[in-house]
Amino acid sequence: MTLVELQQGEKAYITKVRGIGAFRKRIMEMGFVAGREITVVRKAPLGDPIEYNILGYNVSLRNAEAQLVEVITVQDLKEHISNELPPETIPFVDEKFLENHARKKGKVINIAFVGNPNSGKTSLFNRASGMHERTGNYSGVTIESKEARFFMDGYQINVTDLPGTYSITAYSPEELYVRNYIQEKAPDIVVNVLDASNLERNLYLTTQLIDMDIRIVAALNMYDDMTKNGDSLNHEYLGKLLGMPLVPTVGSKGKGVEDLLKKIIDVYEGKDDTSRHIHISYGKAIELAITKIRETLARPENKHLTARISGRFLAIKLLEKDEEAWNKIELIPNAEEVKEIVHQQISIIEAFIKEDSETIITDAKYGFIAGAVKETYKPAKKRRIRKSDLIDIFFTHRLYAFPIFLLIMWAIFYLTFTLGAYPQEWIENGIALLGGAIDKGMTDNMFKDFLIDGILGGVGGVIVFLPNIVLLYFFISLLEDSGYMARAVFIMDKAMHRIGLHGKSFIPLIMGFGCNVPAIMSARIIESRRDRLITMLITPFMSCGARLPVYILFISAFFENYKGTILFAIYLTGILFAILTALFFKHAFFKKQDVPFVMELPPYRVPTGKSVFKHMWINSAAYIRKIGGVVLIATIIIWALGYFPRKQEFSIDYSTQIAQKETLASTATDPALEAEFLKEADFLRQQMKSEQQLNSYIGKIGRIITPVMTPLGFDWKMTCAIIAGIPAKEVVVGTLGVLFPPDINSSADQSISERIRNQVILSGPDKGKPLFTPLTAISFMLFILIYFPCIGVIATIKKESGRWKYALFEVGYTTVLAWIVSFAVYQLGSLVVG
């Protein structure tokens, strides 16, 4: 709780003082330190300000200032101590003991990791905190802040990993998120992670953090890369110039992490001489303007703003014409006066220097950086040719780039099938053995049918594709961690611009091959709202891991000799629809916006086994959780709807006819005739089961919608599977596994692909013909590719766009498009085949 929450006459102990710069220093000099007792004397008639007693004298604080002082009440502290100490010692607890305990309770350090994309920030965060967040060798991986907590040297350290950003100007959502977090959450220490081999670029963000008047510790990450190049850096002297300690680290190997944490504690305790606030000089004209704006902001009634945000930082941002800064001053009483001063100062500066005020400030920052680097950094006498540059000669070549990219993608899908076939077969055999054991060990009853047809037929039919999912995530992880993904963006930039999108849109599209939800969230790295919206609306065309089991099922059943090629073609089809849809949206709904392309090409790196395994484990575990959750529940519901009602009137007396056929088989003297009678009996059993399903609850539901889906080549069972796949696409396979149970003779030994392939039409003029054909399979896979994304995707689109209309539009247009495409493919294909 904070001081402002205390009631009149209530006592408390201070645990922490937040805030920035001069305010924090002034209030701590007045005795507001951890462990000090404070009492509320009285509140002003209007509730603001409030008078407090501390160290025997009274001091008045406004509510905005009091909110920055964290406290624990005497009563809460005593209750907390009573839980730790034996009851007999409680009466002897004195004020000194309470003060020490409050000081101890206040030993919490909140730190935030801030840095450029590709600076190794999240890797360093993982090493420092012991967390296992996913990292990637291209920008935009960390979409939201990640938090962890650990203990060191008596301190509880709360760590937050903020999104990677090149600056904290209100230009992209990431920049704004980082800036607002620092201002609103006021972390005790900001850890500025710098790529030691790209200091000048990384230090621009550092200059902005310096302007914010916060305590900073800089981590010189990837220090080994810099030294390998033969460069040298006097980081102690650079730290003095910047007013912050710099600690060399290698986040990927854990080097320097302990030194970094110890330095954070030193800075927090005020034991580091390097840590001090400096002012970056922007020249006389700018400095005079900053002073005048700060004087206008420094009114007592503006304390709620200036106690949290540095007045100098706010003045600089106003001179830079920063939109978010202008929004902040709208809330202060003398907003119009501040605006007038700012406009006046901008006019004077630009008239005098003949340059835009934002450009002048940016140039001054880079001038400061250049001077600091020149003083402390010595490049190698001979500059080595980077391996990454040599590799890029081929990988980004105007002739070879596209063929190499397509070859890599084709190889991924081919290997996903080829290598995944072996463990997939092992799992299928295991499920078959389990099914056979249940079939032999249990008497015929509803529970036995539920286990074999519901659980093993549904969930088992989905889990067999786990090896393929694991392999796909393995290859995607290699692309990300190696740095090739950023090259793919670079290669595709021109093509993306031709369809009206930003080059960065390619990142969410590629990420969509794993899961559409984080892919849509990663669209935040795109600065233009128009490009973000289009990217979010077309990302579901990327075949996520949930659709992969459906593709594998039908490709294995009907395209045995062309598995990898057909899967590659399906994924390419999704990309093609994304391109065509983007072109349509560009001309029909969204006006053209040109946004500059800025995409860093990080150096190639050999992916670490730990990182790749982590990626595979996280996503595979999510797949297994989904199987144990939504897929299990859905398949149970589908099985129940297909199993009941049990009392039905059949079109013919199947039981009598089956008994007759079995009697004829037992009395037949010719083995061929016996086999024929048994085959007819089995066919009658299949007809009976099919009619039972047709008259079940799910059969009735399916028959209502089937007329709409019949022109696509789908029967009522396929229609039910499509409906069941709305929550999650994995449910489609589970539903088909339930609705197409093993043949009577083969029991549970048949794989779901064989069961699909062997289905025949049991009645009507086409009786005996295959229910599924390669054309039906293609039509079905295309429908699964295009139609309604899962519920999670729709919710994410609503959250990221801020409006339901985009989410509902996604539902409508994808479903209609799926019907049109499948209809055209099936009908035209039928004409050609016919």
Side-chain angles (χ1 to χ4, degrees):
M1 67 188 302
T2 63
L3 267 182
V4 78
E5 298 173 63
L6 297 178
Q7 300 302 315
Q8 187 165 316
E10 193 171 7
K11 289 184 178 182
Y13 285 92
I14 297 171
T15 57
K16 176 172 288 193
V17 177
R18 294 186 290 115
I20 50 112
F23 162 76
R24 189 173 185 277
K25 184 179 179 181
R26 178 177 61 84
I27 201 170
M28 291 185 74
E29 287 173 348
M30 294 169 66
F32 285 75
V33 293
R36 195 72 72 194
E37 186 183 82
I38 188 168
T39 307
V40 182
V41 178
R42 66 178 64 83
K43 293 187 178 183
L46 297 179
D48 192 11
I50 303 174
E51 188 177 340
Y52 300 95
N53 181 272
I54 186 169
L55 293 174
Y57 70 95
N58 291 357
V59 59
S60 177
L61 294 181
R62 291 180 176 271
N63 287 349
E65 297 170 318
Q67 284 177 345
L68 298 174
V69 181
E70 295 180 4
V71 297
I72 182 170
T73 64
V74 174
Q75 184 60 35
D76 288 344
L77 190 56
K78 285 183 177 179
E79 288 178 6
H80 180 75
I81 294 171
S82 66
N83 294 328
E84 294 182 356
L85 298 178
E88 60 272 13
T89 63
I90 300 300
F92 301 101
V93 170
D94 57 11
E95 287 190 7
K96 189 68 177 176
F97 184 89
L98 289 174
E99 281 184 19
N100 291 334
H101 207 80
R103 192 177 294 112
K104 180 182 175 183
K105 190 167 180 60
K107 293 190 76 172
V108 176
I109 306 177
N110 299 313
I111 65 176
F113 277 73
V114 177
N116 285 191
N118 301 306
S119 61
K121 177 175 55 62
T122 301
S123 294
L124 197 61
F125 166 80
N126 289 339
R127 288 284 184 173
S129 64
M131 291 281 284
H132 302 289
E133 290 303 328
R134 172 75 186 125
T135 60
N137 197 12
Y138 64 97
S139 65
V141 172
T142 308
I143 301 164
E144 294 180 323
S145 60
K146 305 292 189 301
E147 297 179 354
R149 184 179 68 177
F150 62 95
F151 295 88
M152 183 174 177
D153 294 345
Y155 280 97
Q156 175 184 309
I157 301 180
N158 300 324
V159 196
T160 302
D161 179 27
L162 296 176
T165 179
Y166 291 105
S167 75
I168 46 175
T169 303
Y171 184 55
S172 71
E174 268 72 22
E175 294 175 353
L176 198 54
Y177 183 91
V178 171
R179 178 162 140 191
N180 286 339
Y181 182 93
I182 294 172
Q183 291 176 345
E184 292 169 11
K185 301 292 184 180
D188 299 309
I189 306 288
V190 168
V191 178
N192 183 201
V193 182
L194 306 169
D195 180 352
S197 59
N198 288 288
L199 264 182
E200 288 200 52
R201 188 203 67 204
N202 281 242
L203 285 173
Y204 183 79
L205 174 60
T206 309
T207 62
Q208 294 180 314
L209 296 174
I210 290 171
D211 288 337
M212 295 185 83
D213 195 6
I214 54 179
R215 289 187 290 179
I216 309 166
V217 174
L220 280 171
N221 204 28
M222 304 184 195
Y223 200 74
D224 55 340
D225 286 351
M226 185 195 75
T227 54
K228 281 179 186 176
N229 292 333
D231 304 336
S232 63
L233 176 71
N234 186 341
H235 64 271
E236 293 92 349
Y237 186 45
L238 179 60
K240 290 179 180 178
L241 294 176
L242 298 175
M244 65 188 72
L246 276 72
V247 182
T249 61
V250 183
S252 60
K253 299 176 182 177
K255 293 182 179 179
V257 174
E258 188 175 348
D259 293 336
L260 176 66
L261 295 174
K262 287 181 178 178
K263 186 60 67 176
I264 288 169
I265 293 173
D266 286 345
V267 171
Y268 181 77
E269 292 179 342
K271 295 178 180 178
D272 187 87
D273 296 334
T274 311
S275 182
R276 62 192 177 90
H277 178 60
I278 66 165
H279 279 186
I280 297 169
S281 175
Y282 295 105
K284 285 187 177 180
I286 296 289
E287 289 297 335
L288 181 61
I290 291 172
T291 301
K292 291 193 174 182
I293 296 169
R294 286 187 69 183
E295 288 172 354
T296 315
L297 288 169
R299 302 280 178 84
E301 61 269 25
N302 296 338
K303 277 289 184 183
H304 67 282
L305 181 65
T306 55
R308 294 177 180 272
I309 303 174
S310 162
R312 180 177 175 83
F313 175 77
L314 193 55
I316 291 168
K317 284 299 169 189
L318 289 170
L319 290 172
E320 289 181 329
K321 305 169 187 175
D322 183 274
E323 184 179 345
E324 182 65 14
W326 285 94
N327 292 337
K328 293 283 187 188
I329 63 166
E330 289 286 354
L331 305 175
I332 62 176
N334 65 330
E336 293 304 318
E337 182 185 0
V338 173
K339 288 179 187 178
E340 186 179 345
I341 292 289
V342 173
H343 286 306
Q344 182 188 75
Q345 293 302 314
I346 289 175
S347 299
I348 294 170
I349 291 166
E350 293 182 349
F352 179 69
I353 305 180
K354 308 295 183 186
E355 187 65 84
D356 181 77
S357 59
E358 183 179 4
T359 304
I360 297 168
I361 293 172
T362 302
D363 288 345
K365 285 183 184 293
Y366 276 113
F368 171 80
I369 293 167
V373 170
K374 188 175 181 180
E375 289 281 331
T376 57
Y377 176 77
K378 290 184 179 180
K381 292 181 179 178
K382 287 187 177 181
R383 177 60 59 184
R384 292 192 313 163
I385 298 176
R386 298 194 312 166
K387 291 179 182 178
S388 295
D389 295 333
L390 293 174
I391 297 171
D392 277 338
I393 292 174
F394 298 98
F395 276 32
T396 61
H397 192 275
R398 65 187 188 90
L399 295 179
Y400 310 143
F402 277 102
I404 289 174
F405 173 68
L406 293 175
L407 180 63
I408 288 172
M409 298 306 293
W410 176 85
I412 286 174
F413 298 125
Y414 176 79
L415 292 172
T416 297
F417 255 116
T418 307
L419 299 180
Y422 301 104
Q424 184 180 339
E425 186 179 352
W426 302 335
I427 296 173
E428 284 178 347
N429 292 338
I431 291 172
L433 287 172
L434 181 59
I438 293 172
D439 188 35
K440 291 176 183 177
M442 294 181 66
T443 57
D444 291 339
N445 54 46
M446 184 179 74
F447 186 63
K448 176 183 175 181
D449 293 339
F450 167 70
L451 290 178
I452 294 176
D453 296 338
I455 301 300
L456 292 183
V459 175
V462 180
I463 204 168
V464 295
F465 301 111
L466 178 61
N468 306 95
I469 297 292
V470 171
L471 283 169
L472 181 65
Y473 281 121
F474 169 76
F475 291 123
I476 289 176
S477 177
L478 290 180
L479 294 181
E480 291 178 356
D481 290 1
S482 66
Y484 182 75
M485 194 73 86
R487 272 71 185 178
V489 175
F490 175 76
I491 292 164
M492 294 299 297
D493 177 56
K494 189 171 183 180
M496 300 303 289
H497 272 289
R498 285 185 175 176
I499 65 172
L501 286 177
H502 194 283
K504 287 184 180 178
S505 297
F506 195 64
I507 291 176
L509 298 182
I510 290 292
M511 287 182 69
F513 289 146
C515 179
N516 290 165
V517 172
I520 290 169
M521 293 172 68
S522 72
R524 297 177 187 175
I525 65 173
I526 304 167
E527 290 81 5
S528 162
R529 176 171 171 79
R530 170 252 193 201
D531 285 350
R532 279 201 307 277
L533 286 173
I534 296 178
T535 303
M536 285 190 288
L537 293 176
I538 67 173
T539 295
F541 287 122
M542 301 298 103
S543 292
C544 62
R547 296 182 179 108
L548 185 60
V550 184
Y551 302 153
I552 294 174
L553 170 62
F554 283 91
I555 292 172
S556 299
F558 298 101
F559 306 99
E560 183 70 25
N561 297 325
Y562 309 99
K563 289 181 178 179
T565 303
I566 295 296
L567 184 62
F568 180 54
I570 287 287
Y571 275 71
L572 277 184
T573 302
I575 294 172
L576 177 63
F577 277 113
I579 291 170
L580 294 175
T581 307
L583 283 169
F584 174 72
F585 288 162
K586 169 190 170 183
H587 294 292
F589 301 116
F590 298 96
K591 293 181 180 180
K592 176 76 175 166
Q593 279 185 327
D594 288 321
V595 177
F597 174 72
V598 180
M599 180 69 199
E600 181 188 357
L601 295 181
Y604 287 100
R605 293 190 176 93
V606 178
T608 62
K610 183 178 179 181
S611 175
V612 172
F613 175 78
K614 187 194 308 177
H615 189 201
M616 290 166 55
W617 169 251
I618 290 171
N619 290 285
S620 301
Y623 183 74
I624 293 170
R625 283 196 300 271
K626 192 180 283 187
I627 291 173
V630 65
V631 175
L632 177 61
I633 294 169
T635 51
I636 291 172
I637 293 170
I638 295 295
W639 175 83
L641 291 174
Y643 193 79
F644 297 103
R646 298 307 292 168
K647 292 182 179 180
Q648 294 184 15
E649 292 186 8
F650 294 102
S651 58
I652 61 173
D653 189 353
Y654 286 108
S655 299
T656 302
Q657 291 196 22
I658 290 169
Q660 289 174 353
K661 296 294 182 183
E662 289 178 339
T663 301
L664 290 172
S666 64
T667 57
T669 56
D670 184 357
L673 193 59
E674 180 186 0
E676 182 63 28
F677 285 135
L678 289 174
K679 184 178 179 182
E680 290 177 3
D682 289 340
F683 188 77
L684 285 168
R685 287 191 185 92
Q686 294 291 347
Q687 282 188 308
M688 181 179 177
K689 194 160 190 176
S690 178
E691 190 170 333
Q692 188 274 325
Q693 281 187 332
L694 188 64
N695 294 322
S696 67
Y697 295 125
I698 197 167
K700 293 173 182 177
I701 296 170
R703 279 185 291 169
I704 294 172
I705 307 169
T706 299
V708 179
M709 308 302 280
T710 300
L712 281 58
F714 306 160
D715 73 337
W716 69 269
K717 295 182 182 181
M718 298 170 73
T719 301
C720 288
I722 287 170
I723 296 170
I726 288 174
K729 295 298 174 283
E730 295 95 339
V731 180
V732 172
V733 175
T735 303
L736 292 173
V738 172
L739 296 180
F740 294 107
D743 290 341
I744 302 297
N745 281 341
S746 61
S747 185
D749 296 333
Q750 241 183 2
S751 72
I752 187 170
S753 296
E754 292 175 306
R755 282 142 54 188
I756 292 290
R757 184 170 56 244
N758 295 336
Q759 292 297 318
V760 295
I761 299 172
L762 299 175
S763 60
D766 295 326
K767 181 179 177 180
K769 290 185 178 181
L771 178 61
F772 291 96
T773 65
L775 181 60
T776 309
I778 291 172
S779 176
F780 190 79
M781 286 190 290
L782 285 173
F783 197 93
I784 295 297
L785 165 68
I786 302 170
Y787 93 114
F788 188 108
C790 69
I791 297 295
V793 169
I794 299 304
T796 305
I797 291 175
K798 188 271 170 185
K799 178 185 175 184
E800 296 298 308
S801 66
R803 297 187 181 178
W804 271 111
K805 70 175 184 178
Y806 294 114
L808 296 176
F809 176 71
E810 182 74 20
V811 172
Y813 97 86
T814 54
T815 305
V816 171
L817 182 61
W819 192 94
I820 294 171
V821 170
S822 292
F823 174 83
V825 167
Y826 184 74
Q827 294 300 326
L828 291 174
S830 297
L831 290 175
V832 173
V833 174

